[in-house]
Structures are given as C-alpha cells and as structure tokens.
C-alpha cells in the first residue's frame, strides 16, 4: 500500500515542531519539509517518519512565511496537513 500521513506544525520559541501521524500500516518514510522565511530565504529539513506518531524539532532562523511537506515529491505517500 501507500503510506497515509497527516502532519501539523507549530512554532515553539525559536523551534519548528512538526508532528506526523500514520494511519493503518506503518511505513518508514523520509519526508522533506521546505520552510520559507518571511525574508524569502528557504531551508529544508528531513523528517524520518517511522512510527504511528513521529515528532521532530528544528531550529528556526526567523519568522516563517510558509511550510510545505514533500515539495520534491520524493516521498511516495499521501500527505495531508491537519
């Protein structure tokens, strides 16, 4: 089957906290997160999603404009934002 993932994000202090949840069978899926800052700069982070719930924390370098999961389409999965 194809992994089905849901994710949510939050900013805690100077950190980005991302939480992925998998429904049904649990797969090992690396997912790229693309962060665009308010000043236009970008950063990418990889989250190794391998449990029914996976949380990761990454340091931020400023205010966030947007966050996109799997922008490169590398993860073969259905990914929805919660």
């Amino acid at each position: 089957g194809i992994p089905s993932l849901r994710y949510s994000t939050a900013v805690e202090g100077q950190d980005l906290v991302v939480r992925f949840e998998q429904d049904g069978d649990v797969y090992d899926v690396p997912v790229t997160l693309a962060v665009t800052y308010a000043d236009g700069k970008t950063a990418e982070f990889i989250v190794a999603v391998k449990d029914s719930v996976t949380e990761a924390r990454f340091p931020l370098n400023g205010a966030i404009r947007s966050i996109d999961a799997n922008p490169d389409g590398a993860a073969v999965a259905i990914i929805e934002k919660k």
Side-chain angles (χ1 to χ4, degrees), residues 20-64:
F20 280 90
E21 297 175 11
Q22 290 194 62
D23 293 329
D25 294 334
V26 174
Y27 296 87
D28 190 349
V29 184
V31 178
T32 301
L33 285 180
V35 174
T36 302
Y37 292 101
D39 64 5
K41 292 181 181 173
T42 60
E44 287 191 346
F45 303 105
I46 304 291
V47 180
V49 180
K50 52 189 167 189
D51 294 308
S52 57
V53 175
T54 300
E55 281 195 2
R57 181 179 292 264
F58 301 100
L60 293 172
N61 294 321
I64 293 176

